[in-house]
Amino acid sequence: MSTEYDHALPGSADIAEQLGSAAGADPAPQTRTLIDRVLEALAALSLAAITVLLFANASLRYLADSPLGWTEEIVTGLMLWLTMFGFVLGVRRRETITVRAFVDRLPAAVRVWLELFTGLVTAAVLLHLAWFAFRYVSEFGSDATPYLRLPRGFFTAALPVGALTAALIVLVQLPRVREFVLRDREERS
């Protein structure tokens, strides 16, 4: 497989193959939905807002010796949402961190069963996380932040929402595991 990445670094052809593999790509590129675009836009807006707020705060601290005390609250909250937006997009595109050295050597049938098992375990862990995060938000979400007096639940709700969404995506992708494994195997041979 020859790509524009081949000349960059020694061994970069392996990286290029990994970047183009079925396990690291959008499961069905033609299904890029409005939801994907909205999540990407929200993540980009969150990152832009974080950057602007931190730059403004640093500038005011340096130039006027008068930092904005409330920026930490907003930046921390936006960071939680940014993380969950990115996590959900990564799960949707099957771009989460995996160790494939051992699994790639297994026969396709075994890989399919192993992928199904790990998908179910992943969904169970995410649902467990979503449940406890929901309980946390229910218990402490009405507490106000120190400066802006916003409910903390507005920010911490990112965790149960993100975990539940990712779990549902994993479960929806399970029926297509065999297709992903076979496509990945074909691309590697």
Side-chain angles (χ1 to χ4, degrees):
M1 177 176 172
S2 177
T3 68
E4 70 267 16
Y5 301 108
D6 288 344
H7 65 280
L9 295 169
S12 63
D14 295 334
I15 295 170
E17 285 179 23
Q18 290 173 3
L19 289 174
S21 74
D26 193 359
Q30 69 274 17
T31 64
R32 265 183 71 86
T33 64
L34 177 63
I35 294 171
D36 292 329
R37 290 189 181 103
V38 167
L39 284 171
E40 290 168 352
L42 289 172
L45 286 172
S46 297
L47 184 59
I50 289 168
T51 303
V52 167
L53 284 171
L54 290 176
F55 181 76
N57 194 35
S59 297
L60 285 171
R61 177 175 305 177
Y62 178 74
L63 297 174
D65 197 27
S66 179
L68 302 171
W70 51 267
T71 57
E72 181 181 347
E73 291 177 7
I74 300 294
V75 167
T76 303
L78 287 175
M79 189 64 74
L80 287 170
W81 280 104
L82 175 62
T83 301
M84 286 298 111
F85 294 144
F87 177 64
V88 169
L89 282 168
V91 169
R92 161 74 174 88
R93 295 174 181 166
R94 301 179 60 81
E95 293 176 345
T96 54
I97 297 172
T98 58
V99 179
R100 300 166 47 119
F102 171 72
V103 176
D104 284 346
R105 294 187 176 111
L106 296 173
V110 174
R111 270 188 70 192
V112 168
W113 284 105
L114 187 60
E115 292 279 346
L116 284 171
F117 175 75
T118 57
L120 288 171
V121 169
T122 300
V125 168
L126 288 170
L127 289 170
H128 185 76
L129 174 64
W131 170 248
F132 280 99
F134 172 76
R135 289 182 53 198
Y136 177 85
V137 172
S138 297
E139 183 75 26
F140 300 107
S142 62
D143 293 351
T145 59
Y147 283 101
L148 297 176
R149 308 304 300 163
L150 296 171
R152 290 185 191 273
F154 174 74
F155 300 120
T156 56
L159 193 54
V161 169
L164 179 62
T165 305
L168 293 175
I169 290 170
V170 168
L171 292 172
V172 166
Q173 288 179 346
L174 283 180
R176 297 188 60 207
V177 164
R178 184 175 185 278
E179 176 186 334
F180 298 142
V181 168
L182 294 177
R183 186 172 60 182
D184 184 49
R185 181 156 298 242
E186 182 180 298
E187 287 177 1
R188 292 182 179 279
S189 55

